Every structure is written in structure tokens, then in C-alpha cells.
Amino acid sequence: MAKREIPEINAGSMADIAFLLLIFFLVTTTMDRDKAYKRSIPKKIEINDPKKPEVEERDIMAIRANSKDELMVRSEIMTNPDEISDRILEWYRANEQSNDLSSNFPLYSQITMDEIRSQVANAEKEFEEAEETPDIAEDFLTFKQAQVDEWKKKERALKLYGKPVLREISQKAHIRVEVQVETGYELFAKIQSEIEEAIFELRDEKAKSIFNEGYGTIITRLAADGEKEDKEKFELLKILYPDRIIEVKPKN
């Protein structure tokens, strides 16, 4: 009996099929992005100001970590990083109700609606004058427009707040994070997490007292539909508890 020949399989197109499958998986597969803390870095604007005042110690919430992962918060050695948020809350709240000039915490200013509207008018006038100045630098115009926008934000914020004055922490008050190149990423991430936690708690507490809803609810809704009312609520909370954070370049 003659042996039957097994037909040869044409594998010439297998490489093409494999390549198409590879392309398919590359296009359709989603990959998780590394999570990181992002900060908006303001555009540098050169403004000559010989009378530029120095920042007082009370206005700096300094958080430092060295190459041995040793932590210092406002000149206090801290062994438990979980306490960072408590120190930040204290720093914001110490003079929130009334200024104690003898304390080493930021002072608060207060401004009325009439004063805010006067500042809006002055800022708009200065912007218009700058626009009419020949060969004015574009960066300077941007700076002047930002001043107008900032005062208008405060006007809307105080109207929403419904109080006679808007009480703000010092404009120079900021959180300063300084780490070294060899500081562990885990500690760096913990510092950032504690900062976020403290600011969220401050805004959440105020949101509940003013709007009868949590800060998380407001920002979630804002991200979903971008409603004007939620945006104005967010702006008010950000004015009351700003997140001015400076990250110093790591040192060796």
C-alpha cells in the first residue's frame, strides 16, 4: 500500500500574522503610569526690585531630610514622619483666628470687599497703562494680567464666602521641602503625602462648615463636569488654605 503524502503546510504568512498580533496587543494594551507628585512651576519673570524683603522664619514651614533619612521639621528632629501633617496643620492654624506677634507662625491679613474692589481697579489701570507702553515685555504684561485675575478671584471668593472680610495667611508663607540626593524615595513620597493630607484636611473642614459638603465631593464633581459654582468653591478654599510648596534642588 502506497504511503500517503502529508501535505505541506504553507508557513510563509505566519510571520506576518505574528507581527499583526504583536501590533494589535501593543495598540490595545494599557500600561499603568508611574505615579508621582506634580507641581506647577510658575514662569520666571524678571522684575527689578531693590527693596525685595526677606522671608521671615515664621513664614517658612521647612521640612528637611538628609542622606540617612533623618528628618527635621522647623528645626525639630522628628523620628515619626506621620507627625508631619500635624505640624503643618499647627503652622496654618496658629494665627488663623487672631495674630500672636510673639509666635513663630505666619500672620494673617484681612481685607474687605471695598478694599478688594479698589485693588481690582488699580490692577486694571496698571495693566492698561502697561499695554500702552511701547516695546513693553510680554512677560511683564502677563504678570500684570495675573494680578488683575488674582484680585478678581478674591472678589468672587469673598462674595461666595458671605463674610465681611477675607482672612488670608501671609503671602510669603510657604512649605519648603529640602532633601538630599541620597534621601530615600519612600521618605520623600511620605513627606509629599503628609503635605497633601494636611492641606486636604484644612480645606475639607472649611468646605463642610461653609457649603455643608466635603472638599473631596467638590473636587470630584469639578473634575467630572467643571461647573462654575464648584470652580468658585475650589478657588475660595485655595485662597483660604493655599498650597505654596517649594522643592529645593537636592544637595549631595
Side-chain angles (χ1 to χ4, degrees):
M1 183 176 180
K3 293 184 179 179
R4 295 181 59 185
E5 293 185 1
I6 300 174
E8 184 178 350
I9 298 174
N10 184 4
S13 62
M14 292 299 288
D16 294 334
I17 295 171
F19 181 72
L20 288 172
L21 286 172
L22 178 62
I23 294 296
F24 173 77
F25 284 117
L26 287 174
V27 171
T28 59
T29 302
T30 58
M31 299 182 181
D32 293 334
R33 295 181 179 179
D34 290 337
K35 295 181 179 179
Y37 292 92
K38 297 188 292 184
R39 304 288 180 206
S40 297
I41 302 175
K43 186 176 181 180
K44 185 178 180 181
I45 298 176
E46 297 292 346
I47 298 177
N48 295 323
D49 185 3
K51 298 180 180 178
K52 184 179 179 182
E54 293 184 3
V55 180
E56 295 184 48
E57 184 183 344
R58 67 167 72 241
D59 286 331
I60 304 173
M61 179 66 200
I63 305 172
R64 297 184 176 91
N66 63 17
S67 59
K68 298 178 181 179
D69 284 355
E70 294 171 332
L71 184 65
M72 179 177 287
V73 178
R74 302 203 85 199
S75 302
E76 174 191 350
I77 296 175
M78 184 174 290
T79 56
N80 184 3
D82 290 336
E83 296 178 3
I84 295 175
S85 58
D86 294 332
R87 295 293 187 276
I88 295 173
L89 291 172
E90 178 187 29
W91 184 75
Y92 272 99
R93 289 171 171 163
N95 284 319
E96 188 175 6
Q97 301 304 320
S98 60
N99 287 328
D100 178 3
L101 298 178
S102 64
S103 72
N104 191 29
F105 296 99
L107 301 178
Y108 278 72
S109 63
Q110 56 184 30
I111 188 167
T112 65
M113 182 62 82
D114 287 342
E115 290 171 328
I116 289 175
R117 286 173 177 162
S118 175
Q119 291 290 349
V120 169
N122 289 338
E124 288 178 332
K125 181 181 178 182
E126 289 181 1
F127 175 71
E128 290 169 2
E129 290 174 351
E131 273 191 314
E132 295 171 1
T133 303
D135 303 322
I136 193 73
E138 191 65 33
D139 282 353
F140 188 75
L141 280 177
T142 302
F143 172 70
K144 286 297 180 182
Q145 182 62 63
Q147 287 184 318
V148 174
D149 294 342
E150 195 62 31
W151 281 113
K152 285 186 175 180
K153 277 184 185 179
K154 291 181 182 181
E155 183 179 10
R156 294 191 299 269
L158 185 52
K159 189 181 297 184
L160 181 62
Y161 199 17
K163 293 184 178 292
V165 296
L166 185 64
R167 195 167 174 84
E168 292 183 86
I169 197 169
S170 167
Q171 292 296 316
K172 298 183 184 68
H174 65 276
I175 298 172
R176 181 185 178 95
V177 179
E178 184 176 344
V179 298
Q180 295 183 339
V181 173
E182 295 180 2
T183 300
Y185 180 77
E186 184 177 349
L187 179 56
F188 174 75
K190 178 63 175 175
I191 292 171
Q192 299 287 352
S193 175
E194 289 290 300
I195 293 171
E196 297 290 340
E197 179 184 327
I199 293 172
F200 187 96
E201 182 174 332
L202 289 164
R203 292 177 180 175
D204 187 59
E205 183 181 274
K206 186 63 72 174
K208 288 175 180 175
S209 78
I210 303 173
F211 309 120
N212 294 316
E213 61 179 345
Y215 176 60
T217 301
I218 294 170
I219 58 176
T220 300
R221 200 165 54 225
L222 178 61
D225 52 35
E227 287 290 333
K228 180 181 177 182
E229 183 181 356
D230 288 323
K231 184 177 180 181
E232 291 183 351
K233 288 179 179 180
F234 173 72
E235 287 178 352
L236 169 59
L237 295 168
K238 195 168 183 179
I239 287 171
L240 296 175
Y241 300 111
D243 51 349
R244 302 188 199 107
I245 302 166
I246 296 176
E247 294 178 2
V248 181
K249 184 178 180 181
K251 297 179 181 179
N252 294 326

